[in-house]
Amino acid sequence: MEQKTMADMQSKTATTESTNRGPIAMQLRDVAVSFHGRTAVRDCSFDVAKNKVTSLIGPSGSGKTTLLRALNRLHDLTPGAKVSGQILLEGVDTYRGDLTVTELRTRVGMVFQRPNPFPTMSIYDNAVSGLRFNGVKKKALLDEAAESSLRSAALWDSVSTRLKVAASNLSGGEQQRLCIARALALDPEVLLMDEPTSALDPIATLRIEELMTSLKSRVTVIIVTHNMQQAARISDDCAFLLMGEDRAGELIEFDTTEKIFNNPIDPRTLDYTLGRFG
Amino acid sequence: MTQVPTDLRKHEEVVAEFGSATTSRTWYFYVLLAAAVLFLLVSIGFVGTIFWSSLPTWLHGGLSLLTGKGWTAPNGPFGGLAMIAGTIETSLIALAIAVLIGLGTSIAIVFYIPRRLRNIVATLVELLAAVPSIVYGLWGLLVLAPWMATTVNPWLNKLPFATTIFGNPGQEFGTSLLLASIVLGIMIIPTFVAISREVIAVVPQDLIEACLSLGATRWQVIREVVLPTAKVGLYGATFLSLARATGETVAVAMVAGGVANMQFHLLYPGTSIASWIALQFGESTSKEVAALMALGVLLMLLNFGLSLISRSLVNRQRKLLATV
Amino acid sequence: MIELEQPVEAGHEMRAEIRRISNRTRARRVATSRVMVLLCAVALTLAAVPLALLIYQLLKNGVPVLNKAFFTTVPSTPTLIAPNATGGVSNAIVGSIALNIYASVLAIPVGVFVGIYLAETESKLATTLRTIAQTMAGAPSILMGLFAFSFVVHDLKIGFSALAGSFALAVLMLPVIILSSEIAVRNVPATLREAGLALGAKPHKVSMRVVLPSALTGIVTGAILALSRAVGETAPVLLVIGGGFTNTWGLLNPVSALPLSIFENAKSPWPSQRAQVWGVALVLVAFIFLVSLTARIWASRKQQVRN
């Protein structure tokens, strides 16, 4: 018991230390998500540094995805879902502040686990779909944005000659990159990625990991991954979550990746990174 | 509305691997086979008998049934053009009503009604479908028709272009092609809702989430992603509703006015293929019976054709979603 | 690490413009979304209103007419001296009961067996029969009346009779029962069948002893729903049962039926007869609603128990 309390204190200390991270894109303060009264994840407090990759790691069921989806208010769709605490984007409370949910989502984009390009749209239409939803009609603007975002997703070279082709003709990895392009077209400040490579083969995975590293300069990336090695490879900061006895996930430790993997404070973090439990 | 069982594939796998009641030649197999053959015979008889009984009309008049404007009992000539025109007119207007109201209803049920209420609302719409045709006809005849005659028709006739669209029948009757179209439209709403609801509800959730994550409003999600993805199935729902509308007999018979006039004015009485058969059959001679059977053949072809198109569209929609 | 294919700073103006347009159009887009929600709610109301109005009229006009005489006496024709002497509709009640019992006897066993056949067989015949059943299930019911007239009344020379009417209703019910029975059998979890087969039982015995009892609820529900639909059908019986004013139920006699009595009397010049028609309609609708709801609730309870 005492050990746990010590670890608690130490993880809070770790959070305070993170204020030396430089410019901050998003801040989480005591964020908890519950469904119909049952807590799914709680006590999440950390700062997401700008233009860095922050990963949320932990075994399955630890609430990583639930936490991620709170960041672009996807839980608004779920009846019975309640998000408490504060999530700040550039200092503005995303739930109770002056920010409409639609505007929030243009600034915080999302890429999902399984590639999900819109099936009835071509590659071009998929890439600019976000723009169209937001009222952009000028063809010149759409064309420019399409090329820019497809280049950013390292997809332009292979699709520039067949932009009007249906998106379903692409391979899994290409479809996922199309989804990334689609999200990037709106020039978001933050890009949320929910296990973006878990449905892809190793080569496609590698290419997307390279992509994420190069995207850092443009967006802040927050990625959920159950693949520790991936987290170690690409992320700058790491948040480790674990499911507690009451089946609610909680944040155990948050720190730089280097520290989490080489010298974590909490023994549970060490256990996880050493692969002692999945 | 029939539902597709979710472990259909597994059922087939088990049957393919181990066999079923029909793999070995037991008495049970023969009972099942006999029933199947009996059904086959009945269905062949169904189509064949009506066709056979209609032969005299086709042989005597050729295709004049399709082009003739007047229906002269008891011996002919029998022209079905007025019925065909009436069927087309009432069915299309009814379809427009049903699709407009039905699509909005389906969207409301799937996206806006909270889950707890969803079953109750859906049951209410299904109850609409359970009301027999004759009760709709009765309601249309005794309640709506007088209301149309006293309130609606005079108002309609004041609108611009009234005479072209509505005609000006002078006598305020109430029963008319317009009333038939409205009653028909109400009757086929549940058919459209049943299919469109299912088709809309199975659009994958992650497409909806992806769309929302791009900053789209709820309506944009529905218009730009859900409806286009469900498009083929929605066409299937449309064709099935049209098929049902063309086959409705008794309600139309009671409120359309039952007059075989070849005209398009909505406020005039008219008829449809199915309702004409019902109304004329009672006191008809054998020649007229044959002509009515011929109308039946027409109705059968129309209905089977629309039904076939609808089913192939719904199947195509199902296959489409399996690949997404 | 790959290099970005385009420098970050270029396109800054484009991004600013996109953000400007996005913010400018947001209010309008959100407002449109709200309007469309409203329209959909209106559509839902429009769909529900006719039903509400109809039920109101049924109750308002039908209830006053329902008395003991309504159910137990045969109809009579009003005269100028006795304009309210309509009698009752016992002939139609008896006729409807008879017609539907005969039709069920004809349609349910055959329909259930064909449904089982379709669920258990993967042959060309099965696929063809399924398509036929789906087509016939959506066919206009007046065609069944034409079929019965041609075959039973005319060819078999039986004339207008309960048999002809039952035949028409049976042909109407048959495809519906086939389809619902097939689905009921297919919905039995395949693991149940596997378990029976794994115990070494022969496939047809497994089908009879294991799968069928499990599918029974669905089969019965489907048959009941088909029956409730047949009770209200006018067109198939209109042409072939002949009508009549007595409480007959013999197979070879002309009979009356509830929908027929509505059809005949709706246009009556006598207000008392028109009023009585509402009572018949109320009885019909009440019966169908009750049967449908009960069947569905019973089926879902059994489903819950199984789960």
Side-chain angles (χ1 to χ4, degrees), chain B residues 217 219 223, chain C residues 26-37:
Chain B
T217 59
W219 174 247
R223 201 183 92 160
Chain C
R26 181 157 298 121
R28 182 180 53 83
R29 285 182 283 120
V30 171
T32 310
S33 185
R34 296 223 173 97
V35 167
M36 292 317 293
V37 175

Side-chain angles (χ1 to χ4, degrees), chain A residues 135-264:
Chain A
V136 178
K137 293 201 183 92
K138 230 169 16 168
K139 189 160 190 315
L141 204 53
L142 291 175
D143 285 346
E144 194 186 339
E147 181 172 342
S148 165
S149 62
L150 287 170
R151 281 191 191 281
S152 303
L155 200 54
W156 178 253
D157 283 343
S158 54
V159 302
S160 61
T161 50
R162 42 181 184 142
L163 287 174
K164 295 299 186 184
V165 156
S168 43
N169 286 320
L170 299 175
S171 71
E174 288 174 319
Q175 284 188 10
Q176 190 66 306
R177 276 183 282 149
L178 178 59
C179 293
I180 294 175
R182 179 176 69 184
L184 288 177
L186 282 172
D187 188 30
E189 294 154 44
V190 179
L191 187 61
L192 307 175
M193 305 180 96
D194 185 3
E195 305 203 33
T197 58
S198 63
L200 303 176
D201 63 79
I203 298 191
T205 300
L206 205 58
R207 296 195 68 175
I208 291 193
E209 285 183 10
E210 288 172 350
L211 187 61
M212 284 191 267
T213 318
S214 63
L215 283 178
K216 258 197 314 198
S217 50
R218 272 184 58 179
V219 283
T220 306
V221 178
I222 306 178
I223 172 173
V224 164
T225 178
H226 66 259
N227 183 337
M228 272 188 296
Q229 290 82 3
Q230 181 173 77
R233 279 195 292 270
I234 60 172
S235 59
D236 301 296
D237 293 327
C238 242
F240 171 59
L241 285 87
L242 195 60
M243 176 161 64
E245 269 148 25
D246 59 348
R247 306 187 65 85
E250 59 185 293
L251 177 67
I252 305 295
E253 189 167 348
F254 175 81
D255 216 319
T256 61
T257 306
E258 213 262 314
K259 190 121 194 295
I260 292 277
F261 278 87
N262 293 328
N263 191 14

Side-chain angles (χ1 to χ4, degrees), chain C residues 223-252:
Chain C
I224 292 181
L225 289 177
L227 180 61
S228 75
R229 191 189 141 187
V231 167
E233 284 284 345
T234 319
V237 299
L238 175 64
L239 311 178
V240 296
I241 56 176
F245 296 120
T246 55
N247 294 337
T248 48
W249 60 78
L251 263 183
L252 301 177

Side-chain angles (χ1 to χ4, degrees), chain C residues 58-73:
Chain C
L58 276 174
L59 291 172
K60 174 173 149 220
N61 298 325
V63 169
V65 172
L66 300 181
N67 51 36
K68 183 149 172 277
F70 176 84
F71 290 100
T72 54
T73 48

Side-chain angles (χ1 to χ4, degrees), chain A residues 68-90:
Chain A
L68 190 79
R69 289 157 69 97
L71 300 181
N72 70 344
R73 294 182 62 171
L74 262 192
H75 292 300
D76 285 10
L77 276 126
T78 314
K82 190 164 170 303
V83 177
S84 58
Q86 272 192 317
I87 300 178
L88 305 175
L89 176 68
E90 299 284 340

Side-chain angles (χ1 to χ4, degrees), chain A residues 75-125:
Chain A
H75 292 300
D76 285 10
L77 276 126
T78 314
K82 190 164 170 303
V83 177
S84 58
Q86 272 192 317
I87 300 178
L88 305 175
L89 176 68
E90 299 284 340
V92 180
D93 190 326
T94 58
Y95 278 80
R96 286 159 216 105
D98 255 342
L99 202 54
T100 56
V101 64
T102 37
E103 184 178 354
L104 169 69
R105 291 181 182 146
T106 63
R107 294 168 61 186
V108 178
M110 190 171 227
V111 174
F112 296 81
Q113 193 169 346
R114 282 188 57 225
N116 54 12
F118 301 127
T120 54
M121 297 188 195
S122 65
I123 295 175
Y124 177 87
D125 288 332

Side-chain angles (χ1 to χ4, degrees), chain B residues 22-38:
Chain B
T22 48
T23 23
S24 40
R25 301 282 180 267
T26 58
W27 65 270
Y28 190 53
F29 167 76
Y30 286 117
V31 165
L32 294 181
L33 188 64
V37 169
L38 180 60

